[in-house]
Amino acid sequence: MRILRTDESRFRDLPDFPFPPHYVEVGTELPLRLHYVDHGPEKAAPVVLLHGEHGWAYLYRHMIPLVAGAGLRALAPDLIGFGRSDKPEHQQDYSFDRHLDWLEQWLLALDLNNVTLVCQNRTSLLALALVMRQPDRFSRIIAANAVVPGEDETRPPAHSMWQMFARYSPWFPVPQLIQLGTTRPLTRAERDAYDAPFPSDRYKAGARSFASTLGQPHKELNRQRLWRFLEGWQKPFITCFSDSDPGTRGGHLPLQRKIPGALGQPHITLSGGHFLQEDAAESFARVIIDACRPSLAA
């Protein structure tokens, strides 16, 4: 496994991203450096902000100060292959198992407890697998435009087409893909920031493989077991979906119906596209802060 590391110079002077880098070493086969943002009181209740496909911690740049300003500890890790984290060079170096192991090692290295987990799109499967492994460390889940397949749901043909494009297309324009998922136009500087982790296509193996990786999860996350776990989840589970994302439209309904912890929660639909962090940062942050009131009062 050959490891690439994006030079720190590419992350200088990014708009609205003043956060100093933090790193944890993960991996058992080969040490890898996983980056994360850590902003807010060290002893405060942690909020883990997990990015989705294409993105990195930069996605949460407008929300991190708001969450931390409310008295919470905002943590935004970059998955291996993304952001400031190390990047194995080949697509076959990535798997659902490895992503899950790397993320769990980060969680344990920081010894996080009483965690509010915020998850996004298909990365929600990875997030839920993490909660299944470490349920006692999590107090609540907030699912934003989450993609959680039903027990017998078949994947639409468009998903297979997307997997093929991501894996084989000679052109994989990360900033443009982010822009397609937002309703507001990103500035040139913001688009450049999303491209900062990738000096060349060699660095994009993790991003390219992600759709396939999350489409073939580990046996511990087969759909039947996942839904058995969710149907027993009693802690708060809040959905925060958007009104302008055709890819996840209606995905909140089975989550609200089937998960006991979703009963009576302040589920909300916000105005925006797939990336609510870009289109509705203040409103999204308020959802998190309001959900964490019990932790703030403790």
Side-chain angles (χ1 to χ4, degrees):
M1 184 187 295
R2 182 172 180 179
I3 307 303
L4 303 177
R5 180 172 293 175
T6 305
D7 191 273
E8 283 293 321
S9 63
R10 291 184 61 87
F11 300 102
R12 289 180 192 148
D13 302 320
L14 299 183
D16 303 315
F17 198 74
F19 313 107
H22 298 267
Y23 296 98
V24 161
E25 191 174 278
V26 298
T28 53
E29 304 163 62
L30 192 67
L32 297 166
R33 195 173 72 164
L34 189 150
H35 165 262
Y36 63 101
V37 171
D38 191 345
H39 192 61
E42 184 180 356
K43 301 297 185 182
V47 177
V48 171
L49 305 163
L50 194 60
H51 69 80
E53 290 182 86
H54 325 313
W56 59 288
Y58 186 76
L59 181 69
Y60 287 98
R61 68 196 178 282
H62 295 136
M63 297 174 59
I64 289 169
L66 301 175
V67 172
L72 297 161
R73 181 183 179 188
L75 297 125
D78 289 337
L79 298 175
I80 294 296
F82 295 84
R84 276 181 155 123
S85 291
D86 283 348
K87 300 170 182 68
E89 188 176 12
H90 301 292
Q91 292 190 44
Q92 58 265 33
D93 294 331
Y94 298 86
S95 68
F96 189 92
D97 288 357
R98 284 177 171 170
H99 273 302
L100 180 55
D101 288 343
W102 293 327
L103 193 58
E104 183 183 31
Q105 288 167 30
W106 171 79
L107 179 80
L108 297 178
L110 271 61
D111 193 24
L112 299 178
N113 289 286
N114 189 27
V115 176
T116 296
L117 179 63
V118 180
C119 53
Q120 158 85 27
N121 66 30
R122 290 187 184 88
T123 315
S124 301
L125 289 174
L126 191 63
L128 294 173
L130 182 65
V131 176
M132 288 173 67
R133 281 192 176 183
Q134 300 287 340
D136 294 340
R137 291 182 178 268
F138 294 89
S139 296
R140 62 188 61 82
I141 300 169
I142 300 175
N145 285 336
V147 178
V148 184
E151 293 184 66
D152 302 313
E153 183 179 331
T154 57
R155 293 192 187 95
H159 180 65
S160 297
M161 292 173 62
W162 162 242
Q163 287 182 323
M164 294 292 289
F165 171 81
R167 185 171 287 275
Y168 298 113
S169 171
W171 184 58
F172 193 71
V174 171
Q176 289 86 339
L177 292 169
I178 295 287
Q179 182 67 89
L180 286 172
T182 67
T183 56
R184 77 168 183 89
L186 300 177
T187 67
R188 174 63 183 269
E190 288 173 325
R191 295 196 301 272
D192 288 346
Y194 279 113
D195 211 28
F198 310 113
S200 72
D201 195 66
R202 289 177 59 214
Y203 291 73
K204 295 180 181 179
R208 282 179 170 276
S209 69
F210 212 50
S212 299
T213 296
L214 295 182
Q216 298 175 336
H218 185 269
K219 62 183 179 182
E220 74 178 78
L221 198 70
N222 67 66
R223 295 183 188 183
Q224 290 72 29
R225 185 176 177 194
L226 169 62
W227 278 103
R228 283 199 301 271
F229 174 78
L230 292 176
E231 288 167 359
W233 179 259
Q234 301 287 339
K235 299 175 190 178
F237 189 104
I238 299 169
T239 61
C240 180
F241 278 52
S242 68
D243 62 1
S244 300
D245 182 25
T248 61
R249 183 174 293 134
H252 60 294
L253 297 175
L255 299 173
Q256 291 178 16
R257 286 196 303 262
K258 296 183 178 183
I259 301 174
L263 182 64
Q265 297 297 330
H267 307 291
I268 191 168
T269 300
L270 298 178
S271 178
H274 185 66
F275 295 107
L276 286 169
Q277 300 90 335
E278 289 290 354
D279 292 330
E282 290 187 16
S283 299
F284 192 1
R286 176 52 55 189
V287 171
I288 296 168
I289 294 164
D290 289 346
C292 292
R293 295 282 177 209
S295 295
L296 288 167

